[in-house]
Amino acid sequence: MDDHALDASARRRPRFRRASDGPAFRLTEDDIAIVRHIARHRFLRSTHVAALVGRSLDRTNDRLCHLYHAGLSTAATNCARWRRKSVPFWLREKGREALVSWVVARIEARGA
C-alpha cells in the first residue's frame, strides 16, 4: 500500500457513530436549506432531502454527513434495518440553534 492510501483511510470518518473531532466546514446557504427542510418536516430521509433541495443524492449525502459529524443533525444509524436504505435524519438542539442564528442574522442584515 502506498502512503497516500494510508493517509486517506486514517482521515475517514466513522460510518455509524459521530466522529470525536467533527469535520472543519463552514455552514453554507445550502446547508441552511437542508436544516430548514429537516426542521419543517421533523424527520426526512436523505432521498427526500435531495429531492427538496434539488441536488444529487451523492452531494446531499455529503452535506448530511458533514452536518451529522458536526453535531447539527442525528441519523437513525443505530438500527441494522437502516444500513442499506435511505437513512432518516432529524435535527439536534445544535442544529436548531444554528437555524435560529442564521434567521436572526438575516433579519439584522435587512434592517441595517
Side-chain angles (χ1 to χ4, degrees), residues 2-3 10 31 34 50 66-67 102:
D2 61 17
D3 291 335
D31 294 330
I34 291 171
H66 279 40
L67 293 171
W102 179 82

Side-chain angles (χ1 to χ4, degrees), residues 52-73:
L52 288 168
V53 297
R55 300 181 83 179
S56 71
L57 183 58
D58 286 342
R59 184 70 180 129
T60 301
N61 281 338
D62 179 57
R63 297 316 296 177
L64 284 168
C65 181
H66 279 40
L67 293 171
Y68 172 78
H69 286 290
L72 283 101
S73 69

Side-chain angles (χ1 to χ4, degrees), residues 21-112:
D21 56 339
F25 83 107
R26 185 174 52 96
L27 204 58
T28 65
E29 294 283 329
D30 291 339
D31 294 330
I32 293 297
I34 291 171
V35 169
R36 287 178 65 192
H37 283 297
I38 295 173
R40 177 178 295 141
H41 295 281
R42 196 164 176 214
F43 300 98
L44 280 178
R45 289 183 179 207
S46 55
T47 52
H48 297 150
V49 174
L52 288 168
V53 297
R55 300 181 83 179
S56 71
L57 183 58
D58 286 342
R59 184 70 180 129
T60 301
N61 281 338
D62 179 57
R63 297 316 296 177
L64 284 168
C65 181
H66 279 40
L67 293 171
Y68 172 78
H69 286 290
L72 283 101
S73 69
T74 297
T77 55
N78 55 351
C79 292
R81 67 186 173 127
W82 294 116
R83 298 208 179 174
R84 293 193 179 149
K85 296 182 179 180
S86 175
V87 176
F89 286 83
W90 60 93
L91 289 185
R92 299 183 76 207
E93 186 63 30
K94 189 174 178 181
R96 287 187 284 274
E97 290 170 1
L99 183 57
V100 168
S101 296
W102 179 82
V103 169
V104 168
R106 294 283 297 233
I107 291 170
E108 290 174 351
R110 286 183 187 166

